[in-house]
């Protein structure tokens, strides 16, 4: 499987498309205000693989496996 790394996660579009293309996705974002948008986009694409998102202000990794 291919891995996609998005160091500027923004609204999560890259992660959403990566999920649709059956790719693992790793994203990093420092703006915590974008977190609800990212989580909504991921929920829309929730299907196949593991994703890892690091929101800098929280300093912990959120990992979610979607089936």
């Amino acid at each position: 499987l291919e891995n996609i790394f998005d160091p500027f996660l923004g609204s999560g579009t890259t992660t959403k498309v990566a999920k649709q293309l059956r790719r693992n996705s790793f994203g990093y974002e420092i703006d915590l205000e974008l977190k609800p948008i990212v989580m909504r986009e991921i929920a829309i694409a929730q299907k196949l693989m593991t994703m890892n998102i690091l929101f800098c202000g929280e300093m912990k990794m959120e990992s979610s496996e979607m089936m």
Side-chain angles (χ1 to χ4, degrees):
L1 293 174
E2 293 181 21
N3 295 310
I4 307 299
F5 175 64
D6 185 1
F8 305 101
L9 192 62
S11 65
T13 303
T14 301
T15 298
K16 180 180 175 181
V17 173
K19 296 294 142 213
Q20 293 169 342
L21 295 174
R22 299 177 182 251
R23 305 296 194 269
N24 289 322
S25 178
F26 302 88
Y28 181 84
E29 180 57 57
I30 62 172
D31 186 353
L32 288 175
E33 292 181 12
L34 292 172
K35 184 177 179 180
I37 298 168
V38 172
M39 300 312 281
R40 184 186 71 231
E41 289 296 312
I42 291 168
I44 291 169
Q46 88 181 141
K47 289 189 175 163
L48 306 166
M49 300 184 183
T50 302
M51 78 187 105
N52 293 289
I53 302 170
L54 178 61
F55 288 92
C56 188
E58 294 180 343
M59 297 310 293
K60 68 175 183 176
M61 184 73 78
E62 290 193 14
S63 183
S64 174
E65 288 200 40
M66 301 198 171
M67 306 204 180

